[in-house]
Amino acid sequence: MGFFDGFRVTARQMVKPRVTRSYPDEKRPKPPRYHGRHVLNRYEDGMEKCIGCELCAGVCPAGCIYVRGADNPPDAPVSPGERWGFVYEINYLRCIHCDLCVEACPTEAITESKMFEFSFTNRADAIYTRAELLVGDDGRPQHLPWEDWRPGDDLRTSAWMRATSPSGSAAYEGQQEWSGELGYGERPAESGQSGPDNDEATGNVSVRKVMASHLLTRKDRR
Ligand code: SF4
Ligand code: SF4
């Protein structure tokens, strides 16, 4: 009897909706605060946000960031501060995408996109330089030839940071504490703990909705 019980389980599963996808041809939508490949952001006027302070390098638990700061040339400053990060490297053979560098950065210069599909054939290629990390003239991450970008992966790379800063405490809900970005301007703060589930202005999506696209329903798990 147990033999036929086994077939019954198989037959029951055959008529249920398929929950797997043919990755990498088809990808699931990523959560809005996903930690992917980093970017170095710029202000609305095009100036770089990085001031070469090395706080991100100091806090990185994997020791994978290398930064060198230099005095801004008075006649053609690269950043609004006294200094700018003229060398900036991240070694992706070490990075664990913990985002501590993002939290430590005082100018919101370093954030993460939602793209994690990139690979290398040698160690040197795994070290991203400032020239590759810096956002383009439209404020979006550069799409490098060995990376697999899909629609949405390069949008709102700073969403995660904006969520923890202005809305982490209920007392600061709705307060905008995020400087303008090239290509995006000043984005509103997320709605916070008591706001609506789906905030079109910020790209925030309710956790329940995101998880629904990743997890099986209780019924499917039976
Ligand atoms: S995400 Fe974490 S491991 Fe990666 S560079 Fe930033 S601090 Fe280092
Ligand atoms: S990315 Fe931020 S923390 Fe790192 S050196 Fe630049 S300004 Fe400092």
Side-chain angles (χ1 to χ4, degrees), residues 2 28-29 34 37 45-46 52 55-56 58 62-63 76 86 92 108 111 134 138 141 147 151 160 163 206 209 211:
R28 290 179 191 276
Y34 194 87
R37 196 263 271 174
D45 60 3
L55 283 177
C56 53
F86 82 104
Y92 280 110
E108 309 140 0
T111 54
L134 197 63
D138 57 357
E147 298 175 336
W160 177 77
S206 71
K209 194 170 175 184
M211 296 309 286

Side-chain angles (χ1 to χ4, degrees), residues 17-29:
R18 192 188 302 172
V19 294
T20 54
R21 299 197 187 193
S22 356
Y23 183 89
D25 296 329
E26 188 188 347
K27 295 184 186 178
R28 290 179 191 276

